Amino acid sequence: MTNAAAAGTWKLGQFTVNRLGFGAMRLMFRDRDSAIAVLRRAVELGVNHIDTAAFYFQGHLSANELINTALRPYRDDLVVTTKVGPGRDPSGVFLPSATPEQLKGQVEENLRQLGLDHLDVVNLRIGEALDRGTGSLADRFGALAELREAGMIRELGISNVGPEHLDEAREIAPVVCVQNQYGFATRREDDALIETCAEHDIAFVPFFAVANSAENAGIDELAAKYGVTPAQIRLAWTLHKGPNVLAIPGTGDLGHLEQNIAAASLRLTDEDLGSL
């Protein structure tokens, strides 16, 4: 069975992670036992980077609580990345983005749910839904930088941003990752941002990288060539975008999890990439 380490590693500041990780959002839509089994299997298969958020909950299931139940006490090499900015009330309705003063409460909520005394990596998510955020993030990122100085957070990132936000954030505190929607057929304007991040040793972490289910002849042909799924080709393509690009595919299904991790060892040739 392929191990996530086959994709290579990258440093998120002080943390070294395998480039193929796991996104926890989809766990909310499975039954509790299945979600816990998937998390434990992911770690068995070498995943040491898990992406989550306190606002990932649905009905009686919470991604953070599932992670706590399945994996605590946490392995020393496991890095849990969460995000703040958006919030939801107990009924699930999204609230206005958190103010700088409210961000501490969101950090504390993640700490409680995950059962931690500090958070490894916290992304400031700006903007609504999948709309790219606009305006300054200085006051909010500055508030998180203060929490980092206080020891509540180890490393900081930003999410749903443009290059101007990266420049602004780097003036305030070190940035270890940028997390944006990005994939084979979506938000390709970030090709240049990936290169900018690489120049500064910053990880680029796409979300929804394999969510586009639209058929693509090139992807389907390569999937047939290698005897894999189109989703695995999309993951391999994502990892080929640069050594600083991390993948965090999510699933609540053990079979899909193993397929995703198997993509860590899938190497596309220059000819393959050119055909895409």
Side-chain angles (χ1 to χ4, degrees), residues 20-43:
L20 200 152
F22 181 82
M25 185 179 71
R26 292 181 182 272
L27 294 176
M28 303 181 296
F29 305 105
R30 300 291 291 186
D31 65 89
R32 181 180 180 80
D33 289 344
S34 295
I36 289 173
V38 164
L39 282 164
R40 289 175 175 166
R41 183 60 173 153
V43 172

Side-chain angles (χ1 to χ4, degrees), residues 126 132-138 158 160-171 180 190 193 196:
I126 69 173
R132 186 63 55 86
T134 59
S136 173
L137 53 66
I158 51 178
N160 214 34
V161 298
E164 70 279 7
H165 298 113
L166 178 58
D167 292 340
E168 186 178 29
R170 291 183 63 241
E171 291 292 324
N180 279 1
D190 277 352
L193 183 55
T196 299

Side-chain angles (χ1 to χ4, degrees), residues 235-257:
L235 277 173
W237 177 89
T238 299
L239 292 168
H240 276 77
K241 291 303 294 181
N244 65 316
V245 178
L246 311 185
I248 50 169
T251 181
D253 181 87
L254 283 171
H256 288 161
L257 171 71

Side-chain angles (χ1 to χ4, degrees), residues 39-254:
L39 282 164
R40 289 175 175 166
R41 183 60 173 153
V43 172
E44 288 175 359
L45 293 175
V47 167
N48 62 1
H49 175 218
I50 296 178
D51 177 81
T52 187
F55 54 86
Y56 287 172
F57 65 86
Q58 180 76 18
H60 65 286
L61 291 182
S62 155
N64 279 357
E65 188 274 328
L66 289 167
I67 292 168
N68 185 330
T69 300
L71 302 178
R72 189 171 175 231
Y74 302 107
R75 288 173 40 162
D76 289 343
D77 67 339
L78 181 64
V79 175
V80 178
T81 296
T82 190
K83 60 189 73 66
V84 296
R88 296 168 70 194
D89 68 19
S91 70
V93 174
F94 272 94
L95 304 169
S97 295
T99 65
E101 296 74 23
Q102 292 170 331
L103 288 173
K104 182 179 181 182
Q106 290 192 345
V107 167
E108 290 172 337
E109 182 180 15
N110 278 279
L111 289 170
R112 285 192 298 270
Q113 293 177 358
L114 291 165
L116 293 167
D117 59 10
H118 70 271
L119 297 175
D120 296 330
V121 184
V122 174
N123 285 314
L124 173 64
R125 173 73 174 271
I126 69 173
E128 301 295 332
L130 296 180
D131 294 329
R132 186 63 55 86
T134 59
S136 173
L137 53 66
D139 54 352
R140 289 166 290 172
F141 195 73
L144 292 181
E146 292 177 3
L147 298 181
R148 176 176 174 270
E149 291 296 321
M152 295 176 68
I153 301 169
R154 292 291 186 263
E155 303 288 0
L156 295 173
I158 51 178
S159 176
N160 214 34
V161 298
E164 70 279 7
H165 298 113
L166 178 58
D167 292 340
E168 186 178 29
R170 291 183 63 241
E171 291 292 324
I172 298 169
V175 176
V176 302
C177 54
V178 170
Q179 187 183 97
N180 279 1
Q181 183 192 17
Y182 177 86
F184 180 78
T186 57
R187 294 288 173 91
R188 292 297 300 281
E189 66 269 26
D190 277 352
D191 285 349
L193 183 55
I194 291 174
E195 295 181 6
T196 299
C197 287
E199 291 170 2
H200 299 289
D201 294 327
I202 296 170
F204 185 88
V205 189
F207 59 86
F208 294 166
V210 296
N212 189 336
S213 60
E215 293 184 4
N216 181 280
I219 286 179
D220 292 341
E221 289 175 5
L222 286 181
K225 171 184 174 181
Y226 288 104
V228 298
T229 68
Q232 287 173 299
I233 294 294
R234 290 179 186 274
L235 277 173
W237 177 89
T238 299
L239 292 168
H240 276 77
K241 291 303 294 181
N244 65 316
V245 178
L246 311 185
I248 50 169
T251 181
D253 181 87
L254 283 171

